[in-house]
Amino acid sequence: MAFSSFRYTLRDAFRSIRRHKSMAFASVFTIAISLFVLGSTLLLVVNSQNLVSEMESQVEISVFLHLDVDRKDALALQKDIEKLPGFDSLEFIPKEKALANMQNRFGQDTDLLGALGGNNPLPDSYRIKAQSSDKVTALAKELEKFPEVESISYGKEWVDKLVSFTVMVKNVGLAVILGMLIAGLFLITTTIRLTVFARKKEIGIMKYVGATNWFIRFPFFLEGMLIGFLGAVAAGIVIYFGYGAAINYCLKTIPFIPVVADYDLLFRIVGLLILGGTVIGAMGSVIAVRKYLKV
Amino acid sequence: MIQFFNVTKKYDNGTLALDNVSVSIERGEFVFLVGPSGAGKSTFTRLLIREGLPTKGQIMIEGKSIIRMKSKEIPLLRRKIGFIFQDFRLLQDRTVYENVAFALEAVGTPVSEVKRKVPNVLNMVGIGDKYACFPDELSGGEQQRVAIARAIVNNPSILIADEPTGNLDPENSLEIMKIINEINKRGTTIIMATHDSEIVDRMRKRVIVLNKGRIVRDDVKGGYDYGLQ
Ligand SMILES: Nc1ncnc2c1ncn2[C@@H]1O[C@H](COP(=O)(O)OP(=O)(O)OP(=O)(O)O)[C@@H](O)[C@H]1O
Ligand SMILES: [Mg+2]
């Protein structure tokens, strides 16, 4: 496109926005809101994934051995356990330590060993961590097969809940993001359609004097991109500073809940929003103008 | 040269607007299209700028079929043809100057050329002093002059006018006809649909009479009376 054409196009795009100031403002605002929801959802998903993987790393399987397994055999089992799929780490807990732990729980006042007649009834055990929560169940099944193993225990329900929670957050997040993208596209299409409608006569005259479709389309294209871009920038600013404040608040008041305090990630999300808003704006305007360009 | 070969136009709703029309118009000719309301005059002019396709037949402009033309070429066709309407179709929120400049800008004319051409054409149609006015500050005759200026600023080889004097009083109509005649004298082909018998009778140009989509008369130096009433 010739430079002079581009100059007219730019002027027309700004003139159109100026003329429909409140309309343009309203759509920038609504785009900003939907992109804000989108960005917040993205951050929520990232954080819940982080929380889940944090919790996953705490899920443990306790493996209790038969009482008649001697110490050498008990320790030898470690090699076999380490070969199992999904295995991450283990800790051997000899029966003496188990008793000591129990003694601690009852308090030093009670003589636990004496009460038990000098016999330690507790078995040797292993505490084992899986690589992730969805591997816990399979790993537990394998562990049960060892003849030395008497019983195992792990929070099966807890693990299952964790797994389904992760899946749900991912799915709901995806649905919200998709919904917001569609809503944004719809909003921009509607806005541009209104400005196209307001300029129907201009478009008609342009066609009569022989303007190309691209020349007619371009100002609307720019207008849509500009609206999408401005909305995204507004949403990005709010998310950037809002999330920064939220991180600080969380670190101070609930430090035990892990939050993703990664500004690189935040930058990437804000960048994604701005790119997304601009692309949505361009697409929305192309959709809006299509109908009016039919000869 | 404009040629219609057995052109039939049937609208989607079944109306037969043009029925097997064949006609040839030489470069630089001045042709009146007359006939009762609904005869197909506007349809005839709209087909010339590829606003829709004929149902049957062939239309050639300067030896080139505009039926087989790709849609990408349509803008180029329309740059060769100026079009004026009964209702002027000016942009109300732009000045006279901007309305005319608009036609040049729409085809990507450099700014310097716009600045040179617009005052020239405004002077030619006799409203050079009104360039800063908005359309609603002008009389009907003045508004039609702006529309003419916009139609010819690109130097089209054909000027089509669909009832350009339909909204004007006789005095203004005469002024507009003088301008159109002037444009014709400079070599532009004129095709003008009209109901204005006085103008047609006074100008003594070629008259094509349409009725129910058919050409029923075609007279060199004809008169308006088509004797159908
Ligand atoms: N877009 C359209 N769709 C359907 N029918 C149409 C359309 N445009 C025109 N017609 C019909 O085609 C016929 C010819 O119309 P046209 O406008 O060409 O007549 P005209 O000679 O210009 O009439 P007038 O003198 O009233 O302007 C009419 O019967 C009209 O109702
Ligand atoms: Mg008509």
Side-chain angles (χ1 to χ4, degrees):
Chain A
M1 191 179 279
F3 171 72
S4 50
S5 299
F6 190 70
R7 201 166 126 173
Y8 303 136
T9 296
L10 216 58
R11 183 198 62 195
D12 285 353
F14 278 104
R15 174 155 37 194
S16 172
I17 288 183
R18 249 204 328 276
R19 216 172 284 157
H20 312 106
K21 238 181 281 170
S22 52
M23 189 59 222
F25 178 78
S27 52
V28 167
F29 188 71
T30 40
I31 295 301
I33 287 178
S34 63
L35 286 176
F36 172 76
V37 173
L38 194 150
S40 308
T41 311
L42 216 57
L43 283 168
L44 202 71
V45 169
V46 168
N47 269 292
S48 71
Q49 302 269 283
N50 179 53
L51 182 71
V52 162
S53 69
E54 199 78 12
M55 288 195 298
E56 266 174 0
S57 65
Q58 286 165 19
V59 172
E60 287 176 339
I61 308 172
S62 295
V63 176
F64 302 102
L65 306 182
H66 286 292
L67 279 171
D68 56 8
V69 177
D70 65 26
R71 182 55 50 88
K72 216 177 81 202
D73 291 339
L75 284 171
L77 197 56
Q78 178 171 347
K79 284 244 151 41
D80 296 323
I81 293 174
E82 281 171 352
K83 281 182 206 138
L84 293 175
F87 167 85
D88 184 54
S89 63
L90 58 65
E91 186 192 353
F92 179 69
I93 298 166
K95 56 179 90 176
E96 298 80 19
K97 191 169 173 217
L99 189 70
N101 287 346
M102 194 177 269
Q103 177 75 60
N104 278 343
R105 244 176 283 157
F106 279 91
Q108 297 303 325
D109 304 342
T110 30
D111 177 12
L112 198 57
L113 196 60
L116 292 167
N119 272 332
N120 183 352
L122 298 174
D124 288 338
S125 67
Y126 277 102
R127 244 188 247 161
I128 295 163
K129 281 185 182 168
Q131 283 157 359
S132 63
S133 61
D134 55 344
K135 290 183 176 139
V136 170
T137 313
L139 185 59
K141 283 227 171 73
E142 287 301 311
L143 288 165
E144 261 176 338
K145 287 180 188 160
F146 290 114
E148 295 89 343
V149 171
E150 206 262 341
S151 69
I152 66 167
S153 90
Y154 67 98
K156 184 173 180 353
E157 276 169 30
W158 167 239
V159 168
D160 289 348
K161 267 189 195 141
L162 204 55
V163 171
S164 60
F165 176 72
T166 333
V167 172
M168 189 201 67
V169 168
K170 232 185 256 174
N171 287 345
V172 170
L174 228 81
V176 170
I177 288 168
L178 208 71
M180 284 301 126
L181 281 175
I182 292 171
L185 192 65
F186 179 76
L187 282 167
I188 292 195
T189 308
T190 310
T191 307
I192 301 294
R193 200 166 274 163
L194 283 172
T195 72
V196 170
F197 193 76
R199 293 181 60 189
K200 220 169 57 177
K201 196 171 165 185
E202 266 171 69
I203 294 177
I205 295 170
M206 284 168 111
K207 286 194 340 197
Y208 272 117
V209 299
T212 61
N213 280 353
W214 258 109
F215 184 86
I216 299 174
R217 209 174 327 192
F218 214 67
F220 298 108
F221 196 65
L222 274 186
E223 187 181 343
M225 276 190 355
L226 205 63
I227 287 173
F229 176 77
L230 290 177
V233 166
I237 288 173
V238 173
I239 283 186
Y240 186 82
F241 289 104
Y243 190 67
I247 288 175
N248 284 338
Y249 182 77
C250 287
L251 288 178
K252 257 185 234 141
T253 53
I254 39 171
F256 47 88
I257 299 227
V259 287
V260 183
D262 179 355
Y263 274 84
D264 242 24
L265 177 81
L266 194 53
F267 264 129
R268 253 179 290 150
I269 287 184
V270 168
L272 207 70
L273 284 186
I274 291 177
L275 187 76
T278 314
V279 169
I280 287 178
M283 271 168 58
S285 56
V286 168
I287 293 172
V289 183
R290 216 175 36 182
K291 194 178 114 195
Y292 290 91
L293 282 183
K294 288 208 188 98
V295 187
Chain B
M1 184 151 99
I2 298 165
Q3 290 161 297
F4 275 53
F5 298 103
N6 305 96
V7 172
T8 295
K9 173 72 185 180
K10 201 173 191 175
Y11 284 107
D12 289 342
N13 63 7
T15 312
L16 188 63
L18 287 181
D19 185 4
N20 202 27
V21 168
S22 293
V23 70
S24 166
I25 297 167
E26 296 298 322
R27 179 184 270 272
E29 245 188 304
F30 193 131
V31 179
F32 284 116
L33 282 178
V34 302
S37 188
K41 304 184 290 296
S42 296
T43 303
F44 186 98
T45 60
R46 282 201 294 264
L47 285 180
L48 275 173
I49 53 163
R50 255 301 286 272
E51 197 177 300
L53 285 164
T55 319
K56 262 192 237 146
Q58 185 61 257
I59 301 173
M60 312 276 274
I61 294 183
E62 284 159 17
K64 197 170 182 314
S65 164
I66 66 164
I67 308 306
R68 272 185 307 226
M69 181 175 272
K70 292 196 208 90
S71 55
K72 249 170 65 185
E73 298 174 89
I74 296 175
L76 298 175
L77 166 73
R78 291 181 181 170
R79 288 174 201 188
K80 284 192 275 184
I81 302 174
F83 214 106
I84 50 182
F85 310 87
Q86 182 173 359
D87 57 0
F88 319 137
R89 299 204 192 168
L90 301 176
L91 299 170
Q92 298 300 319
D93 56 355
R94 304 201 188 188
T95 63
V96 167
Y97 181 93
E98 287 168 338
N99 264 286
V100 178
F102 182 77
L104 289 171
E105 291 172 358
V107 298
T109 313
V111 180
S112 58
E113 212 175 312
V114 174
K115 281 186 179 150
R116 186 168 50 78
K117 281 187 170 171
V118 177
N120 275 348
V121 77
L122 286 178
N123 283 332
M124 192 214 146
V125 298
I127 44 166
D129 52 336
K130 303 267 186 189
Y131 67 93
C133 293
F134 287 93
D136 60 6
E137 298 166 344
L138 301 176
S139 74
E142 286 165 338
Q143 289 187 50
Q144 192 60 294
R145 288 174 208 216
V146 179
I148 293 174
R150 183 181 62 193
I152 62 168
V153 71
N154 266 325
N155 283 320
S157 55
I158 301 163
L159 179 66
I160 297 171
D162 195 355
E163 299 186 44
T165 59
N167 283 344
L168 304 178
D169 59 41
E171 207 172 311
N172 269 311
S173 298
L174 224 58
E175 283 303 312
I176 292 299
M177 286 321 297
K178 271 189 198 156
I179 294 169
I180 292 178
N181 204 24
E182 204 54 47
I183 294 166
N184 177 240
K185 277 187 186 147
R186 300 194 313 181
T188 308
T189 310
I190 310 282
I191 297 172
M192 173 169 158
T194 186
H195 287 287
D196 197 326
S197 56
E198 207 171 307
I199 285 172
V200 177
D201 289 337
R202 184 192 285 252
M203 304 228 354
R204 291 283 142 191
K205 301 287 185 184
R206 179 174 172 191
V207 178
I208 295 174
V209 183
L210 279 168
N211 186 35
K212 292 180 183 142
R214 288 168 168 274
I215 294 183
V216 293
R217 221 177 66 201
D218 186 349
D219 294 339
V220 187
K221 294 187 192 295
Y224 181 80
D225 183 20
Y226 41 80
L228 293 165
Q229 278 88 355

